[in-house]
Amino acid sequence: MKRGIIWDLDGTLWDSSTPVRDAWNAWMERHGFDRRFTREQMRGYCGKTLEQIAALVFPDVPEAERNARVYGCCDLENEFLAERGGILYPQERQVLCRLAEQYHMSIVSNCGQGYIEAYLTAHHMWPLFDDRENAVNTGMGKAENIRLVMERNGLDCAVYVGDTQGDWQAATRAGAVFVHAAYGFGQAPEAEWRIASLTELPAVLERIFS
């Protein structure tokens, strides 16, 4: 039986809110817009698609224009993140290295192109992950992308690790077991499995896969 762990990114594998805020504010300044963002606002956008974020940030701007602005911000944030990285969680590398020896590892996020790659580059994580997928690349939601990754990698059983109720809903729809990263940004009150830190995950996975 081929077993896999599929990861959410924001609030689960890193906190990128500070460099993302800096990138978005820099893009706004370069293009003459008065809008500025806080770290807390950037955290609140996590888990949403870029189109959803654009509608929240620029509700009075025509759709094509507001989407173009957010895509521009994202291009700059990828540059910032690849250089600076984000904040990782305690003992993250040690846990990921251990799990990569036992399980197929993937990342599925609602982010845009280049965002997952910025995490992998900045923190030298490329060797630990076998696959990745994002909403912009496929035009599909998180549930569909989780299912896509499961199918194309031949996973008989998969766990999705995420930090929000939306992650729980997506994993459930995709047929994956959900583990709530309770140390992250959101809540998932219906989750059967939860961890308070990444160091708890190996033992939880053993129970799930047994």
Side-chain angles (χ1 to χ4, degrees), residues 3-7 99 103-106 158-159 161 201 205 209:
R3 304 173 299 177
I5 308 169
I6 306 175
W7 300 82
L99 295 176
Y103 306 105
H104 184 280
M105 299 257 285
S106 306
V159 166
V161 185
L201 186 58
L205 292 172
F209 288 126

Side-chain angles (χ1 to χ4, degrees), residues 10 24 44-57 63 67 70-71 74 109-112 134-136 138-145:
D10 291 317
W24 283 47
Y45 299 145
C46 290
K48 297 178 174 60
T49 65
L50 298 188
E51 289 74 19
Q52 290 171 333
I53 295 171
L56 291 172
V57 176
E63 182 177 0
N67 288 347
V70 167
Y71 275 71
C74 289
S109 171
N110 276 338
C111 62
N134 68 76
V136 171
T138 65
M140 299 190 297
K142 184 170 282 187
E144 291 76 19
N145 282 330

Side-chain angles (χ1 to χ4, degrees), residues 4-179:
I5 308 169
I6 306 175
W7 300 82
D8 172 50
L9 186 47
D10 291 317
T12 303
L13 288 174
W14 72 351
D15 178 355
S16 66
S17 54
T18 296
V20 170
R21 174 205 62 193
D22 294 344
W24 283 47
N25 287 342
W27 191 93
M28 291 292 162
E29 184 175 358
R30 289 181 188 179
H31 292 82
F33 295 110
D34 294 332
R35 183 68 185 269
R36 297 294 183 271
F37 301 92
T38 67
R39 185 167 175 260
E40 290 69 28
Q41 284 175 315
M42 303 319 300
R43 280 188 171 190
Y45 299 145
C46 290
K48 297 178 174 60
T49 65
L50 298 188
E51 289 74 19
Q52 290 171 333
I53 295 171
L56 291 172
V57 176
F58 304 110
D60 300 323
V61 176
E63 182 177 0
E65 181 179 349
R66 73 192 186 204
N67 288 347
R69 292 183 188 179
V70 167
Y71 275 71
C73 289
C74 289
D75 288 341
L76 186 58
E77 84 179 23
N78 288 340
E79 295 179 23
F80 275 48
L81 287 169
E83 294 178 0
R84 305 181 188 182
I87 298 172
L88 301 186
Y89 294 100
Q91 299 185 50
E92 178 168 334
R93 178 171 294 279
Q94 296 93 315
V95 172
L96 293 180
C97 287
R98 176 181 172 183
L99 295 176
E101 294 177 352
Q102 300 175 266
Y103 306 105
H104 184 280
M105 299 257 285
S106 306
I107 298 174
V108 170
S109 171
N110 276 338
C111 62
Q113 301 280 32
Y115 187 79
I116 296 174
E117 292 77 5
Y119 162 79
L120 297 173
T121 297
H123 299 288
H124 310 288
M125 297 291 191
W126 283 97
L128 303 181
F129 291 90
D130 306 292
D131 198 2
R132 61 194 185 277
E133 196 54 87
N134 68 76
V136 171
N137 187 52
T138 65
M140 299 190 297
K142 184 170 282 187
E144 291 76 19
N145 282 330
I146 293 171
R147 170 51 60 182
L148 174 65
V149 166
M150 291 171 65
E151 290 177 348
R152 76 183 176 202
N153 291 287
L155 300 181
D156 300 296
C157 184
V159 166
Y160 188 76
V161 185
D163 66 321
T164 68
Q165 180 71 4
D167 290 335
W168 172 82
Q169 292 170 339
T172 302
R173 285 178 53 201
V177 178
F178 180 69
V179 174

